[in-house]
Amino acid sequence: MSQAEKRYFSVTNGQSGRDKAYYLIFKEIDKMEFYDEQLLLKNLKKHGAKVSQLHVAKYNLNQLLLKSLRSFHENNSTDQTLFALMAEASLLKGKGLYLQSLKRLGVAKKMAYKFERNLQVLDILNKEVFLKLTLNIQFEDGDLKAIYSEIDQVEKAIKYETAYRKLWHQAFSWYRTRNKPRDEESLSQLQEFSNHPLLHVEPADLSFEAKLNFFSIHAIL
């Protein structure tokens, strides 16, 4: 598995419940250069993980890994499909087929919302407004206000995604140099980073990407 695939699996399966035990097995095996079942059992016991039948647990772990990989790569194919839908909408608009273009954007928007592709959602919303105005579609009272309220919500989500992505990059940069001696200024910066308000609020209403970075930061701090 690539590092990105491992990180995706860790965040989606390592938080609580039964899946956490499987995650511990995954984590311990991943540390090994060569598989050692006795060492694995010893380390699991150290972590308090109760595994009565290891062969069953490993089978269930394998199923979770396959499910995680399918989900991870489904997201990649989602981007390709969205790109194709947006390209079709642009082509139709260029030929003056505004209504058909609007319909393609509707399909793309539904998909972009489902998979939390907020940058694409924002682009689609703005294109929809332009096309509706071009088609002289009459907006009822409050319609434009509702559309721009929707745009504001998406822009807010993008803002948080960007903020958590930036924090993750900083955290990972420090993590890579964790074994190097630190001076007082560096330690002070790390402490200031650890106290960042976004790292001390449960991101319940955030997108998956923002949550992924939130939990990844806490995993290495």
Side-chain angles (χ1 to χ4, degrees), residues 181-193:
R182 299 187 184 276
D183 55 25
E184 287 188 15
E185 182 181 357
S186 177
L187 289 171
S188 177
Q189 289 174 346
L190 182 57
Q191 182 61 46
E192 183 180 351
F193 176 84

Side-chain angles (χ1 to χ4, degrees), residues 96-155:
L97 302 172
Y98 300 131
L99 189 57
Q100 291 91 327
S101 179
L102 198 57
K103 288 179 180 178
R104 297 313 286 165
L105 287 177
V107 175
K109 183 172 72 172
K110 185 177 180 179
M111 187 176 191
Y113 265 124
K114 179 180 178 180
F115 292 98
E116 296 185 326
R117 298 300 196 269
N118 288 312
L119 285 172
Q120 286 91 334
V121 171
L122 182 61
D123 188 28
I124 292 166
L125 287 171
N126 284 307
K127 282 180 166 61
E128 282 184 332
V129 172
F130 173 82
L131 285 172
K132 287 178 180 179
L133 290 172
T134 303
L135 287 165
N136 291 319
I137 293 175
Q138 296 296 316
F139 289 101
E140 297 181 8
D141 291 343
D143 279 357
L144 274 176
K145 184 178 180 181
I147 290 171
Y148 281 104
S149 175
E150 187 177 0
I151 288 173
D152 287 343
Q153 289 299 312
V154 175
E155 287 178 336

Side-chain angles (χ1 to χ4, degrees), residues 9-215:
F9 174 77
S10 298
V11 172
T12 54
N13 294 279
Q15 298 304 317
S16 61
R18 182 186 59 184
D19 291 353
K20 188 174 182 179
Y22 300 144
Y23 168 68
L24 285 172
I25 297 172
F26 166 77
K27 189 176 178 182
E28 292 301 325
I29 293 176
D30 190 48
K31 290 178 184 176
M32 298 177 182
E33 186 175 357
F34 300 102
Y35 179 69
D36 184 331
E37 188 160 300
Q38 293 306 311
L39 179 61
L40 173 61
L41 290 169
K42 179 181 177 182
N43 289 339
L44 289 174
K45 186 176 180 181
K46 188 191 303 181
H47 288 294
K50 296 180 180 179
V51 180
S52 56
Q53 294 181 298
L54 185 59
H55 69 284
V56 175
K58 287 194 294 182
Y59 172 80
N60 291 333
L61 170 61
N62 183 61
Q63 297 305 303
L64 279 176
L65 286 168
L66 290 172
K67 181 180 177 181
S68 178
L69 285 169
R70 283 196 300 270
S71 177
F72 179 83
H73 289 286
E74 180 184 55
N75 287 340
N76 290 338
S77 63
T78 296
D79 291 329
Q80 295 171 4
T81 304
L82 278 173
F83 179 82
L85 287 168
M86 297 291 285
E88 290 172 9
S90 180
L91 179 64
L92 290 165
K93 174 176 169 286
K95 291 183 175 294
L97 302 172
Y98 300 131
L99 189 57
Q100 291 91 327
S101 179
L102 198 57
K103 288 179 180 178
R104 297 313 286 165
L105 287 177
V107 175
K109 183 172 72 172
K110 185 177 180 179
M111 187 176 191
Y113 265 124
K114 179 180 178 180
F115 292 98
E116 296 185 326
R117 298 300 196 269
N118 288 312
L119 285 172
Q120 286 91 334
V121 171
L122 182 61
D123 188 28
I124 292 166
L125 287 171
N126 284 307
K127 282 180 166 61
E128 282 184 332
V129 172
F130 173 82
L131 285 172
K132 287 178 180 179
L133 290 172
T134 303
L135 287 165
N136 291 319
I137 293 175
Q138 296 296 316
F139 289 101
E140 297 181 8
D141 291 343
D143 279 357
L144 274 176
K145 184 178 180 181
I147 290 171
Y148 281 104
S149 175
E150 187 177 0
I151 288 173
D152 287 343
Q153 289 299 312
V154 175
E155 287 178 336
K156 182 180 178 182
I158 292 170
K159 177 183 175 182
Y160 279 110
E161 284 177 354
T162 303
Y164 280 108
R165 192 181 305 122
K166 181 180 177 181
L167 289 169
W168 162 245
H169 291 161
Q170 288 179 266
F172 188 68
S173 177
W174 274 315
Y175 179 75
R176 291 182 65 181
T177 61
R178 64 193 181 281
N179 294 324
K180 294 182 179 180
R182 299 187 184 276
D183 55 25
E184 287 188 15
E185 182 181 357
S186 177
L187 289 171
S188 177
Q189 289 174 346
L190 182 57
Q191 182 61 46
E192 183 180 351
F193 176 84
S194 300
N195 291 331
H196 195 290
L198 287 179
L199 300 181
H200 296 277
V201 178
E202 179 71 20
D205 298 324
L206 297 179
S207 68
F208 177 78
E209 181 192 343
K211 290 179 182 178
L212 180 67
N213 286 320
F214 174 89
F215 288 117

